[in-house]
Amino acid sequence: KDCDKRTVLHYLAKGISEKPDAANILLPLLSELTTQENVNAKDCDQRTALHYLAKGISEKPDAADKLSQFISDHTTSGNVRAKDCNWRTILHYLSMGISKEPDAAYKLLPLIQYFATREIVKARDCDGRNVLHYLAKGITVKPDAAYEFLPLIQDFARPENVKAEDCDRRTVLHYL
């Protein structure tokens, strides 16, 4: 670990998320070096390597093809709950990717559905948003993707999740 508590995995994941074209070269190396212990290592921002990959997908959804399989293979019920310094889980970042680039929904929704539990979906980030807030934002950006989003939102649409206000006092319904 370096002075920011980042491991080699953090840097590889960060490199892949910043330059998705490098994924073909770096992903095999990342896979080779990954163990259950070091994939869960947190840096000074409380992020794991999986946070960086999910964050990379949220910022560059065209990388979803390459990265979602790695995340799927290395995510467990334990590390999917891990929150970073912004109180965001891996699912927050994946949902943010959909809200920025709804075409990525078809690649990311199965991953979100697989790992989503009521506990994780209702977890709020530093802006007071849960995963449903970000998914609902995705529907407003690309309404024809609503058929993909709505079943997931309905699965977790408990009153406490849908009525939860974010820092702007908006609920999930405000974003729909």
Side-chain angles (χ1 to χ4, degrees):
K1 291 186 177 187
D2 69 3
C3 62
D4 292 323
K5 296 185 177 181
R6 292 190 179 116
T7 65
V8 172
L9 285 185
H10 284 97
Y11 283 102
L12 285 172
K14 199 171 179 186
I16 291 169
S17 69
E18 290 172 358
K19 296 186 181 6
D21 298 339
N24 292 335
I25 299 165
L26 297 178
L27 265 180
L29 183 58
L30 186 66
S31 295
E32 184 85 19
L33 296 173
T34 300
T35 65
Q36 197 58 44
E37 182 182 316
N38 64 13
V39 79
N40 293 326
K42 292 185 174 189
D43 67 4
C44 62
D45 294 323
Q46 298 300 303
R47 290 187 182 125
T48 66
L50 295 171
H51 277 94
Y52 282 105
L53 290 175
K55 190 171 189 283
I57 290 174
S58 78
E59 292 170 1
K60 294 181 175 67
D62 55 323
D65 280 341
K66 297 170 184 151
L67 303 181
S68 60
Q69 186 60 49
F70 181 86
I71 290 173
S72 177
D73 291 345
H74 293 89
T75 301
T76 64
S77 59
N79 62 17
V80 76
R81 287 185 185 91
K83 293 182 180 183
D84 68 5
C85 62
N86 293 316
W87 307 349
R88 292 185 179 130
T89 66
I90 295 165
L91 294 184
H92 280 94
Y93 286 112
L94 293 174
S95 299
M96 290 166 81
I98 290 173
S99 70
K100 291 178 184 174
E101 183 57 57
D103 289 333
Y106 305 106
K107 299 165 190 160
L108 299 179
L109 273 176
L111 198 58
I112 292 170
Q113 286 172 320
Y114 182 75
F115 290 109
T117 64
R118 284 193 172 82
E119 174 192 340
I120 294 167
V121 168
K122 75 178 184 179
R124 293 169 155 212
D125 66 7
C126 62
D127 295 321
R129 295 184 182 112
N130 61 37
V131 170
L132 298 180
H133 283 90
Y134 292 108
L135 289 174
K137 283 174 100 175
I139 291 174
T140 59
V141 176
K142 185 156 182 151
D144 59 319
Y147 294 109
E148 300 295 323
F149 295 114
L150 287 176
L152 183 64
I153 290 178
Q154 287 171 336
D155 283 349
F156 296 102
R158 301 283 178 260
E160 67 272 12
N161 295 340
V162 176
K163 293 179 182 178
E165 292 183 350
D166 65 10
C167 62
D168 298 321
R169 301 192 61 205
R170 293 182 184 145
T171 67
V172 171
L173 298 176
H174 283 96
Y175 290 105
L176 290 175

